Amino acid sequence: MSGAFVLSLDTEVAWGTFTWGGTKYYRRHFDSYRQNVGRFIDLMDKYAIPSTWAFVGHLMLDSCDGNHPEAPAPTFPWYGRPWYDVDPGTNAQQDPWWYAPDVLERVLAMKTPQEIGTHTFSHVFLNDPAVTPEMARAQIEASVKVAQARGLTIESLVFPRDGVAHLDQYAALGITNYRGAEQIGYNALARPLRRAAGLCDHLAGGTPPVYGWHDLETHHGLLNIPGSTFALAYDRYHRFVSTGARIAKFRRGLDAAEKQDAIFHLAFHPFHLGSSEQMFGLFERYFRLAAEARDAGRVDILTMRDVQRAHARLTAPAVQAA
């Protein structure tokens, strides 16, 4: 197998940040979401970049009444409110932060075929102790069903905050793979130290981890395709990471994937496009570098589903000749 570049997109609009006040902090990001995603899609088509769009399932709805017994969530002690209190129970026209079937249709209409995956139904943190196996399964099952109603098959799972949990629940729903957490040493540190170490790594443009095809692991029938790094926004403390360091990190990931016949897996939240006009220049550089590497035969550009299928072929038992 050759090296590969994978891009997975945590497609959540407001669902991913409401628990800590993100609906206020990111108001400008969410209001400009459609315009920014449209520009991003145009860039992807310009360079023929396939990716995995991991949609929060609720975003695929045209409307709802705000009640979702099909996708239960606990009342987390640290949050203290019913999870669906934020659900406006309206429609995409009235509340586009919480419904985005138009974004889904825009992705499906791209010239470069894309994969639609799931980011759970309502961005519930599945690794929280309050989430039971039954709740976790229901969150994924509800996403699978709303996608099926639109003629889509879901195979790839991106856990909110990469909180992997309840892996024994999903294969029966058609899930074949998931994005695991970055396999990098500082992830074992306590959260404040982990954030500090991660910021230092990005400031230095350090080489991200890449993953050899034969080193990928399968758990409960699901292939783990770990992330390599997250494409940072230009807001909060991440604004201190220079564009040069970001490009250096990306280039080193691509180079490592090529040299090691490994997978370089970049993750990103599309709403962060609203952080700065610089995001578009950054991704133009990323996509140009990836396309050049692909066109030169140095790496393939794959979706998560592509990786799972390629890995299955690679590891299938050889058929003995009669």
Side-chain angles (χ1 to χ4, degrees):
M1 297 295 294
S2 61
F5 168 58
V6 177
L7 174 63
S8 57
L9 302 166
D10 300 24
T11 312
E12 59 195 43
V13 196
W15 282 99
T17 59
F18 70 86
T19 58
W20 59 267
T23 52
K24 293 181 179 179
Y25 187 88
Y26 292 122
R27 177 175 295 276
R28 178 171 57 86
H29 299 52
F30 300 152
D31 283 342
S32 61
Y33 191 85
R34 268 70 176 178
Q35 177 184 354
N36 289 335
V37 166
R39 292 177 63 189
F40 187 69
I41 282 172
D42 288 343
L43 268 182
M44 296 178 77
D45 270 340
K46 178 180 178 180
Y47 292 99
I49 306 293
S51 70
T52 297
W53 296 73
F55 268 76
V56 166
H58 192 284
L59 293 176
M60 297 188 190
L61 299 175
D62 294 306
S63 63
C64 74
D65 62 5
N67 297 306
H68 296 288
E70 77 280 13
T75 298
F76 294 102
W78 48 266
Y79 183 50
R81 294 171 53 191
W83 192 254
Y84 289 106
D85 269 8
V86 298
D87 189 338
T90 57
N91 55 59
Q93 290 70 40
Q94 290 179 254
D95 290 293
W97 292 9
W98 307 97
Y99 309 84
D102 56 314
V103 176
L104 176 63
E105 292 303 316
R106 181 71 177 83
V107 172
L108 294 175
M110 290 175 64
K111 292 185 296 183
T112 309
Q114 306 290 304
E115 179 193 8
I116 305 300
T118 182
H119 200 32
T120 76
F121 181 77
S122 59
H123 208 272
V124 168
F125 307 132
L126 299 187
N127 64 330
D128 190 285
V131 177
T132 66
E134 294 76 18
M135 288 177 180
R137 181 187 176 99
Q139 280 284 320
I140 304 307
E141 187 170 16
S143 293
V144 167
K145 286 184 175 180
V146 73
Q148 286 175 339
R150 293 185 174 274
L152 301 172
T153 300
I154 300 293
E155 291 189 33
S156 301
L157 167 60
V158 171
F159 289 90
R161 299 184 181 178
D162 286 333
V164 176
H166 305 295
L167 288 175
D168 59 333
Q169 296 296 312
Y170 314 127
L173 304 175
I175 303 299
T176 63
N177 68 89
Y178 66 97
R179 189 182 77 204
E182 297 172 21
Q183 295 180 5
I184 195 164
Y186 56 71
N187 270 351
L189 301 173
R191 189 171 184 179
L193 292 174
R194 182 171 70 248
R195 283 187 169 182
L199 179 59
C200 290
D201 179 49
H202 281 277
L203 287 167
T207 303
V210 297
Y211 309 98
W213 287 92
H214 287 284
D215 296 327
L216 298 181
E217 297 180 349
T218 299
H219 303 280
H220 297 283
L222 309 183
L223 182 68
N224 180 14
I225 310 170
S228 298
T229 190
F230 226 95
L232 302 180
Y234 282 93
D235 53 19
R236 306 179 77 188
Y237 54 87
H238 293 148
R239 68 185 184 276
F240 299 114
V241 179
S242 70
T243 297
R246 296 164 191 252
I247 296 297
K249 191 174 193 66
F250 186 88
R251 191 188 298 272
R252 286 167 178 157
L254 274 183
D255 289 346
E258 176 193 354
K259 293 174 182 176
Q260 300 176 39
D261 290 336
I263 296 162
F264 170 45
H265 189 170
L266 180 70
F268 181 57
H269 287 113
F271 77 81
H272 277 143
L273 293 165
S275 66
S276 171
E277 182 65 23
Q278 292 174 281
M279 293 301 305
F280 295 97
L282 179 69
F283 269 98
E284 176 119 30
R285 293 286 301 279
Y286 285 170
F287 293 160
R288 183 185 302 126
L289 288 168
E292 288 173 351
R294 174 196 59 209
D295 295 346
R298 301 199 303 270
V299 299
D300 295 321
I301 304 178
L302 305 176
T303 66
M304 291 174 62
R305 179 173 55 202
D306 291 337
V307 170
Q308 188 277 327
R309 291 177 177 175
H311 183 267
R313 292 192 297 270
L314 180 66
T315 57
V319 178
Q320 297 294 325

